[in-house]
Every structure is written in structure tokens, then in C-alpha cells.
Amino acid sequence: MESNYHSLKRRDNQLLVITHLSQLLTYITGFGGLIAPLIIWATQKEKVEDMDAHGKSILNFQLSVLIYSLISIPLIIAFGLGILTLILIAILAFVMPIINAIKVSNGELPSYPLSINFIS
């Protein structure tokens, strides 16, 4: 039954790439980098092959970035290191979706470093 169900899903690398790149909406809207991939994942995970795994990794990464950012705020006041941490988080949150979109377009598996596994 599982193999038959799996074969009903379509292969759509373009949508997977768009899902990874949709995280960059954070830099335009401030919050779209979590909302857009969540909507794509929720509506397409049953229809697109590998969307469930990609969506979970993206959401885990976005939630991790949010938590790391929230932890960095008190570090600004306490040690001043929070500013450096926020800059590093911003760079990582910008670069990793692009790298993973390229990986996906080449048929490779994405990987997000420092990602906490909230959704498995």
C-alpha cells in the first residue's frame, strides 16, 4: 500500500526549490520566511514527492533561527555578543536557503546546520 501511495505523488523539483527560496521572504516582509514554506509544505506534502521531508527541514531551520535570535537579544544587553550572534544568524539564514535550493535543483539532499529537530 505504501509504495502505491508514494507513486501517486509527483516529482516537482521546481516547487522544492521555490519552497527553500521562500525563506528569503523574511528579508522582505520580516516574517514570510516561516509562513510561506509552512503553507507550501502543508498544502503540497501529500502531493509532491519529498515535500514532507524538505518542508520539515525548512520549518525546523526557521524555528531554530527564531529561537537563536530570541536568545541573542538578551545577550546584546548582557555581553554585547548578541549583535555578533544576530549578524551570524542573519548570514546563515540568508545563505543556507540559497545553497539548499541549488542542492535540490541538482538532485541532492538539503542540510541546515544548527537546526533543532522540532518537527520529525
Side-chain angles (χ1 to χ4, degrees):
M1 184 71 166
E2 179 65 32
S3 62
N4 187 21
Y5 175 73
H6 186 67
S7 65
L8 296 175
K9 292 183 179 184
R10 72 181 193 280
R11 186 87 195 129
D12 193 344
N13 276 0
Q14 282 185 319
L15 186 59
L16 293 174
V17 168
I18 289 168
T19 306
H20 285 278
L21 292 177
S22 69
Q23 297 173 80
L24 299 177
L25 286 171
T26 294
Y27 295 95
I28 298 168
T29 65
F31 57 85
L34 177 62
I35 305 294
L38 175 63
I39 291 169
I40 296 169
W41 170 68
T43 60
Q44 300 299 312
K45 67 182 176 181
E46 302 297 329
K47 300 172 187 170
V48 175
E49 189 176 321
D50 296 331
M51 178 58 80
D52 193 40
H54 287 262
K56 287 176 182 176
S57 69
I58 291 168
L59 293 175
N60 284 330
F61 179 67
Q62 285 297 308
L63 291 171
S64 299
V65 164
L66 179 64
I67 287 174
Y68 294 141
S69 298
L70 291 173
I71 290 170
S72 296
I73 293 169
L75 292 177
I76 293 171
I77 298 165
F79 306 108
L81 294 174
I83 294 172
L84 179 61
T85 308
L86 283 173
I87 291 169
L88 292 173
I89 291 167
I91 292 169
L92 190 67
F94 185 79
V95 171
M96 290 314 299
I98 296 169
I99 290 172
N100 283 312
I102 293 168
K103 281 183 170 185
V104 169
S105 71
N106 292 328
E108 300 172 40
L109 294 174
S111 64
Y112 287 97
L114 306 174
S115 189
I116 302 167
N117 196 20
F118 295 103
I119 305 166
S120 54

